Amino acid sequence: MSIEIRHLQKRYGATIVCDDLSLDIRSGELVALLGPSGSGKTTLLRLIAGLEAPDAGSVAFHGEDDAGADPRAQRVGFVFQHYALFAHMTIFENVAFGLRVRPRATRPDEATIRRRVHELLALVQLDWLADRYPHQLSGGQRQRIALARALAVEPGVLLLDEPFGALDAKVRKELRRWLRRLHDEMHVTTVFVTHDQEEAMEVADRVVIMNRGRIEQAGSPDEVYDHPKTPFVLQFLGDVNLFHGRFGHAPGGAIEAGADGAHEEVSYVRPHELQILAAPAADTLPVTLSQVLTVGTQARIEFRRIDDGSYVDVEMPRSEFAALTARSGLGIGSRAWLKARRVTRFSASAAETAVDPAAMI
Amino acid sequence: MTAPSPPLASRTQEPAWVRRTLIGAALAFLGAFLLLPLAVVFAEALKKGLDVYLAAIAEPDALAALRLTLLAAGIAVPLNVAIGLAAAWSLAKFRFRGQNVLLTLIDLPFSVSPVIAGLIYVLLFGLQGWFGPWLKAHDLQVVFAVPGIVLATVFVTFPFVARELIPTMQAQGTEQEEAARVLGASGWQILRRVTLPNVRWALLYGVILCNARAMGEFGAVSVVSGHVRGVTNTLPLHIEILYNEYQSAAAFAVASLLALLALVTLAAKALVERRLERAPPVTDAAPERASSAGAAVAFDRTALAS
C-alpha cells in the first residue's frame, strides 16, 4: 500500500510541528523519518496513523484493494516507542487483540486466532513466551511482541515510532538487521522514526530528513550522505568541519570575502575526508596536532589551526594513523598540513539556517 | 556486619532498641485506637447475653435500618463507580479547559462538612426549599424519606472512586488505549478490555472506601433523615437513637452489626487480592455494574469480575 501525504499542517498552540509536509511513500518501501527531537517526525508518523488529526492537508492510502471503507481501522500497524503492550494480558492475548476486537462478521474463529498468533510469535522467534506477561519480558522481547501485535491485523502500512530507542546498543543493532530482513520477507510498506542517523542509513531504502517541521531532504542513504541539499542535512548526517571562506584560507581571507559578506562561502569537510601532510602543498591548511583519541578501529585526531586557533577534526583508521606517525614522527604539538579530498560548499546565507547538530541530538 | 542479618536490620543502621520501640509504639497505637474499640463493641454488645443481642438485632426497626443502609450503599456505590470512571477518564485522558475546576468540584464533598451537605438537600428539596412546592404538587417526597438519604450518601461518597482512579489513569497515560485504537478496537472495547482491567486495583480500593463511607455516613444522612423509626433510619442513626435512649446493649449490638459489615468488606478485599494474585485475571472480563442487592456483596462481585 502506498501513502500519499499532501500539504500536511499541524500546530500545537503557537508551535508549528508540521509545516506543509508533502511526501510520497511507495508500496513496499522502507522509509526512515530522521531528525532531531522536536523536528516533527513523530507527529508526522502519528498523523499518518490517524492518531492525530491534521489542521490542514491529507494523508491518503492507495492499495490493491482500494474499496475498503475505513482504511485506518485495519490497515495500519503501529509500534509505539515504549511498546504500549497491554500490561494485564498475556503475550498471546496481546497479539490476539487485533483479531478479537473485530466485528463479529469478520472475526476469525478461536482456532484460526490461535494458529495465527502462534505463526506471528514464531515469526518474531518468541513462541515460547506466549503465556508470559509483558513485565516478565526484556525490552528487546517486548519490542518484538509489539511488532507481532501490529502485524496481526495484516496491515498494509507498518509504522514504528523510535522502535529501538529504548534498547541498549547491542540489542538495537541485532533488531535493526532483523527488521530489515523481516521487511524484505513481508514487503509491507514501512515507515519508522529515528533520531539515530546510523540506524536510518543502515535500515532504510529511503531517508527523509526533517528539521523544524519541514522535510529538508528525502533520498536514498547514499544520496543524502553524498549530496546533501542543505547544511542541516550535511551536519546532521555525521561530524563535519566548518570553514568560513574557501578552504585553505583564513576566515574572511583574501579570496571572495567581499565587504557585503553575502558572497562569503562556507566550506564543509568531513573528518575522514581530510588528509594529513607533513609538508605544505597547494590548498592546504597549516595546523598543529593537539590531541589524539582512539575509538575502536578509528583514530580521531584534533588539530589546531595556526591562523585563527580553531580546531579541526580528522578521522582515519587507527592502523593508518600509526603508520603515519611512524613515518613522519608526528606527535603532540607537531606542525602538519591538512588537505581536503572533498569539500561541500553552501553560500553563507544558507549556512545561517544550519544548526549545530551536536547541540540538537 | 559480617553475619547475615535479616532484611529489616540491613536496611537501616538504627540500633535494635530504636526499631523495637518504634514498632512497639505503632502496634500499641494500633491496638488502642483500632482493635480495642472493636473488641469493646462486641464485648458490650454481648454483655447482657446472647439473647438480648439477638433480640436487638432481630428487632424490626434494626432490620429496617440494616436494609436501608444496604440499599443506600447499594445505590451509591454503583453510581459512584459510573460517575467516578467517567470523571477520571475525562480528567486523565484528555486535556481541556476547566480541568482544574472539575478536579476541585470532585473534591468538594471532602471539603464541605457532611452536615452542610445534608442541609443543602433540605434547602433544595424540603417543603420550604426551592423544589419543595413542585415536589409536593407531584406528591413526591425527597427529604425525610429514602430518596433524600440516597442523595446525601451519593454526595458524601462522590470523590472516592474518582480520586482513586485519577492518579492511576494519569500515570498510565494513553499509549495502551492508542495501541488498542490502532488495532481497530471501538471506544467501548477499549474501555472494557484495556482501560478497566488496567485500573481494577484502584477501582477496587475506591469501591471499598466508598462502600465503607456509604454504610457509615452519619452527618449528612442525619440531617435529611428526619429519624422516622423503621423508615428513614440507617444503621448509624439507629445506633444513636438506641444509645440516647440508654439501651446501650442494644446500641452496641447494632453497632457490632455495622462493624461486622466493615469486617466483611475487609475480608472480601483480602480474598479478592489473594485470588487475583494467584490466578492472573482473565483478559476479557471487566468489572460489571454492581447490583443493588447489598453493598458488601455488590462490591465483592465487581471486584471478582475483574
Side-chain angles (χ1 to χ4, degrees):
Chain A
M1 195 180 292
S2 66
I3 310 170
E4 188 185 299
I5 298 160
R6 289 288 174 270
H7 305 294
L8 220 48
Q9 292 263 13
K10 180 77 185 174
R11 59 168 74 218
Y12 294 119
T15 330
I16 299 173
V17 267
C18 283
D19 189 2
D20 196 25
L21 293 179
S22 294
L23 182 67
D24 281 303
I25 294 167
R26 287 184 293 275
S27 188
E29 209 176 10
L30 177 51
V31 172
L33 301 178
L34 175 66
S37 48
S39 59
K41 54 193 193 306
T42 293
T43 306
L44 175 57
L45 196 75
R46 292 173 61 87
L47 283 165
I48 296 173
L51 286 169
E52 307 272 348
D55 297 333
S58 64
V59 176
F61 298 91
H62 302 289
E64 301 76 45
D65 47 344
D66 227 1
D70 184 2
R72 287 186 188 161
Q74 296 293 325
R75 295 190 189 167
V76 172
F78 199 100
V79 177
F80 290 81
Q81 185 177 2
H82 302 289
Y83 326 128
L85 294 179
F86 304 125
H88 60 287
M89 293 183 200
T90 59
I91 296 309
F92 181 93
E93 287 302 328
N94 261 280
V95 178
F97 186 88
L99 302 172
R100 291 208 195 281
V101 296
R102 282 195 186 165
R104 204 172 294 271
T106 57
R107 193 187 310 157
D109 60 47
E110 189 59 36
T112 314
I113 290 178
R114 203 153 279 281
R115 190 174 44 77
R116 180 102 188 89
V117 170
H118 281 295
E119 272 171 21
L120 283 160
L121 287 175
L123 181 75
V124 299
Q125 297 151 12
L126 292 175
D127 209 8
W128 50 288
L129 288 176
D131 296 326
R132 304 270 181 94
Y133 283 85
H135 68 89
Q136 296 169 308
L137 270 58
S138 73
Q141 290 169 338
R142 282 182 215 183
Q143 185 58 274
R144 283 190 273 166
I145 296 302
L147 194 60
R149 182 179 68 177
L151 290 173
V153 295
E154 296 174 333
V157 173
L158 185 61
L159 307 171
L160 304 101
D161 184 10
E162 302 262 2
F164 315 119
L167 303 170
D168 62 58
K170 197 162 173 291
V171 180
R172 192 151 68 205
K173 215 157 205 166
E174 280 168 21
L175 274 182
R176 250 189 235 167
R177 302 233 168 97
W178 178 80
L179 176 69
R180 178 73 238 184
R181 276 201 307 274
L182 193 75
H183 176 265
D184 292 344
E185 280 168 29
M186 304 190 43
H187 296 293
V188 180
T189 310
T190 306
V191 183
F192 74 101
V193 157
T194 180
H195 60 263
D196 181 344
Q197 44 101 5
E198 204 186 309
E199 191 169 290
M201 304 296 245
E202 190 181 314
V203 179
D205 297 329
R206 200 148 65 99
V207 180
V208 176
I209 295 145
M210 294 187 61
N211 182 33
R212 295 177 180 177
R214 290 174 186 218
I215 293 173
E216 294 268 335
Q217 190 175 358
S220 72
D222 288 345
E223 204 176 314
V224 292
Y225 191 81
D226 293 337
H227 306 288
K229 273 191 189 153
T230 66
F232 176 85
V233 174
L234 178 80
Q235 296 192 33
F236 195 74
L237 296 180
D239 297 331
V240 71
N241 292 299
L242 202 142
F243 301 95
H244 290 279
R246 277 197 179 279
F247 179 74
H249 295 271
I255 300 173
E256 285 190 50
D260 53 351
H263 295 297
E264 190 190 328
E265 279 186 323
V266 180
S267 306
Y268 298 86
V269 184
R270 294 212 183 275
H272 68 268
E273 288 167 338
L274 281 167
Q275 208 177 344
I276 304 170
L277 302 178
D283 284 333
T284 55
L285 187 74
V287 289
T288 55
L289 179 65
S290 72
Q291 208 185 171
V292 179
L293 299 167
T294 49
V295 183
T297 59
Q298 289 293 104
R300 276 187 202 151
I301 312 121
E302 190 182 76
F303 288 100
R304 196 183 165 94
R305 281 173 72 165
I306 286 176
D307 48 11
D308 65 354
S310 63
Y311 291 95
V312 180
D313 290 329
V314 177
E315 211 176 284
M316 60 168 61
R318 222 162 125 179
S319 54
E320 206 175 294
F321 182 66
L324 181 79
T325 48
R327 201 168 57 235
S328 63
L330 196 68
I332 304 291
S334 307
R335 170 74 60 101
W337 286 264
L338 300 181
K339 186 176 173 63
R341 287 189 209 98
R342 208 182 120 93
V343 181
T344 311
R345 290 196 181 86
F346 297 101
S347 75
S349 54
E352 270 164 15
T353 59
V355 194
D356 178 12
M360 299 192 66
I361 294 171
Chain B
M1 275 189 276
T2 49
S5 45
L8 232 175
S10 62
R11 233 177 268 152
T12 64
Q13 298 296 315
E14 309 300 335
W17 67 268
V18 172
R19 290 201 308 271
R20 279 188 204 129
T21 312
L22 284 174
I23 294 170
L27 285 180
F29 185 85
L30 212 68
F33 285 87
L34 288 176
L35 295 179
L36 189 64
L38 199 63
V40 166
V41 166
F42 284 98
E44 284 289 322
L46 293 165
K47 205 164 68 179
K48 289 187 180 165
L50 202 60
D51 293 345
V52 179
Y53 179 83
L54 289 177
I57 286 177
E59 196 222 351
D61 287 353
L63 287 178
L66 175 64
R67 265 198 302 275
L68 184 58
T69 294
L70 291 179
L71 176 73
I75 294 175
V77 171
L79 258 180
N80 238 290
V81 169
I83 299 170
L85 262 175
W89 174 281
S90 58
L91 278 168
K93 309 275 176 182
F94 302 107
R95 305 251 134 260
F96 56 89
R97 243 177 243 257
Q99 236 172 348
N100 284 328
V101 178
L102 185 54
L103 205 60
T104 314
L105 277 178
I106 288 174
D107 278 344
L108 192 69
F110 274 165
S111 47
V112 171
S113 160
V115 176
I116 296 173
L119 267 177
I120 293 169
Y121 286 109
V122 173
L123 290 175
L124 277 178
F125 302 114
L127 268 183
Q128 269 73 47
W130 285 12
F131 302 115
W134 186 87
L135 288 170
K136 194 176 158 55
H138 289 78
D139 204 21
L140 294 169
Q141 197 177 5
V142 174
V143 173
F144 308 139
V146 174
I149 285 165
V150 171
L151 268 178
T153 309
V154 168
F155 178 86
V156 172
T157 56
F158 187 78
F160 284 100
V161 171
R163 265 282 148 204
E164 286 296 316
L165 286 179
I166 288 167
T168 315
M169 281 191 172
Q170 271 172 343
Q172 275 165 358
T174 51
E175 261 205 343
Q176 288 185 38
E177 276 86 3
E178 281 183 343
R181 203 174 117 205
V182 179
L183 288 167
S186 67
W188 174 243
Q189 283 173 320
I190 294 173
L191 179 73
R192 210 164 55 86
R193 289 169 180 252
V194 178
T195 308
L196 281 184
N198 269 330
V199 298
R200 64 185 186 276
W201 283 115
L203 187 67
L204 176 60
Y205 282 111
V207 165
I208 287 169
L209 290 177
C210 176
N211 181 57
R213 180 69 189 266
M215 294 198 301
E217 174 54 26
F218 181 81
V221 171
S222 174
V223 175
V224 295
S225 146
H227 303 274
V228 183
R229 274 200 181 196
V231 182
T232 64
N233 267 352
T234 61
L235 277 184
L237 300 180
H238 189 64
I239 292 167
E240 194 213 12
I241 288 176
L242 288 175
Y243 190 75
N244 286 343
E245 289 171 354
Y246 302 105
Q247 306 184 37
S248 77
F252 276 111
V254 181
S256 76
L257 202 63
L258 198 57
L260 219 58
L261 281 178
L263 288 178
V264 166
T265 307
L266 270 180
K269 177 193 146 216
L271 192 90
V272 167
E273 268 175 11
R274 222 179 35 214
R275 188 178 283 203
L276 282 176
E277 264 166 33
R278 220 177 321 136
V282 193
T283 62
D284 230 331
E288 281 151 16
R289 191 72 61 80
S291 77
S292 57
V297 182
F299 120 76
D300 193 18
R301 196 177 300 156
T302 310
L304 285 177
S306 72

